[in-house]
Amino acid sequence: MSAVVRLHTDRGEVLGVNVCAIAMDDAIATLERWISEGCREYVCVTDVHAVMECRRDPLLRKIYNEAGMVTPDGVPVVYFLRLIGKKRTQRVYGPDLMREMTAVSGRRGYRQFYYGGDVGVAEKLKEALVGFVPGLQVAGTFCPPFRKMTPAEDRAAVDAINAARPHIVWVGLGAPKQERWMAEHLGRIDAPVMIGVGAAFDFLSGTKRQAPQWMQRHALEWLFRLCSEPRRLWRRYAYIVPGFAFLAVGELMRRAIRPSEDAPSGSPSWK
């Protein structure tokens, strides 16, 4: 069993998902603590898409709420948390978390494993990050097939990861597939940390462009991605953007009218 890490324990409920009200320093300190103590945990980075998927799927919501850490990845999620009183919340964006933790890993000697991405992307990611952080130890990469793996294939992949002895397994399968994979493999993967970062594999490898900083700061990254991949993403954003806005405004109004119902009976801890 993993030890409980008491660094910053506050979480806020965002439409049913308990998201950690943290900053990047909190996230890095927690990951380092897990590694030093030999824990077994997984991290979900949480944007509006993830919140809306969790509303539709109770099992997925359970996976998020049982994660060791649920980071506020999306700017609207950060705004929501601040509006419900979690004022210290800052964005802990998947690609930025990967950059920061990669730099720390280069200094500390933490071994990385990259699991996911299209064919060849994990290797490109390795080359890019080793170039970014000279001396970075990459234990291995693996690109699983798009189809469901057979039990034998899955066992072989798990054995390969464990044989490489990484400290961190970065999972780039896209949400919600990567969250399901991490939850299913918790206890089977020996690494202290699994982190689902989705599109960070593409962004940091240079396979896809990131939105400009001004669009990221103003919660418009979804628009940049929609313009970049309209055929693949239009259905997703046609649902999640107005849907989240409508539900978030309704929840904030409810809290304003009946604030006593939201008085904490004890904040849930994260590990």
Side-chain angles (χ1 to χ4, degrees):
M1 295 294 291
S2 62
V4 175
V5 176
R6 303 289 184 183
L7 291 174
H8 179 67
T9 60
D10 200 15
R11 288 198 189 202
E13 184 181 322
V14 182
L15 304 182
V17 180
N18 293 321
V19 182
C20 299
I22 57 174
M24 184 65 75
D25 288 349
D26 299 309
I28 298 298
T30 299
L31 296 177
E32 288 213 77
R33 184 76 171 270
W34 288 347
I35 292 170
S36 70
E37 295 187 352
C39 299
R40 298 288 183 272
E41 300 290 355
Y42 65 92
V43 177
C44 299
V45 297
T46 310
D47 58 8
V48 167
H49 175 225
V51 171
M52 296 302 285
E53 288 295 317
C54 285
R55 285 188 62 82
R56 298 199 299 181
D57 186 339
L59 179 56
L60 181 63
R61 184 165 64 247
K62 183 173 184 288
I63 288 171
Y64 271 80
N65 288 339
E66 291 183 351
M69 182 161 56
V70 182
T71 76
D73 173 87
V75 173
V77 173
V78 173
Y79 288 165
F80 187 95
L81 286 169
R82 290 177 180 173
L83 287 170
I84 65 171
K86 311 299 183 182
K87 301 297 186 183
R88 74 183 305 279
T89 307
Q90 296 179 22
R91 191 183 191 196
V92 182
Y93 178 45
D96 291 344
L97 177 61
M98 195 171 194
R99 287 189 188 96
E100 293 286 338
M101 196 60 200
T102 296
V104 171
S105 295
R107 297 193 297 270
R108 306 286 198 202
Y110 302 146
R111 293 163 57 83
Q112 323 288 297
F113 196 103
Y114 306 126
Y115 182 93
D118 289 337
V119 175
V121 169
E123 279 297 319
K124 289 182 180 178
L125 178 66
K126 172 184 173 180
E127 292 172 8
L129 293 181
V130 168
F132 171 58
V133 181
L136 180 69
Q137 297 185 44
V138 178
T141 66
F142 185 82
C143 176
F146 285 108
R147 60 172 172 77
K148 183 177 176 60
M149 295 173 69
T150 67
E153 288 173 330
D154 185 64
R155 284 194 300 273
V158 169
D159 289 346
I161 294 171
N162 289 340
R165 297 181 295 104
H167 295 97
I168 306 170
V169 178
W170 298 96
V171 186
L173 300 176
K177 185 177 180 180
Q178 64 197 13
E179 287 74 26
R180 299 186 197 281
W181 187 90
M182 291 188 296
E184 290 168 1
H185 290 78
L186 185 66
R188 296 180 58 201
I189 299 294
D190 292 339
V193 186
M194 294 182 284
I195 309 175
V197 289
F201 274 43
D202 292 318
F203 295 152
L204 299 189
S205 68
T207 306
K208 292 181 181 178
R209 291 175 57 210
Q210 275 187 274
Q213 285 293 325
W214 71 267
M215 295 189 81
Q216 293 185 38
R217 287 194 300 270
H218 292 87
L220 292 173
E221 190 170 8
W222 66 272
L223 181 59
F224 180 87
R225 295 191 66 186
L226 177 60
C227 292
S228 300
E229 301 180 81
R231 294 183 63 183
R232 186 174 77 87
L233 296 177
W234 78 267
R235 290 182 186 275
R236 175 194 294 184
Y237 289 122
Y239 159 67
I240 68 169
V241 174
F244 180 85
F246 176 80
L247 291 169
V249 169
E251 176 61 15
L252 291 170
M253 291 176 64
R254 185 193 69 78
R255 287 171 179 261
I257 294 169
R258 298 193 296 273
S260 61
E261 294 183 7
D262 302 306
S265 58
S267 297
S269 65
W270 56 288
K271 302 167 186 176

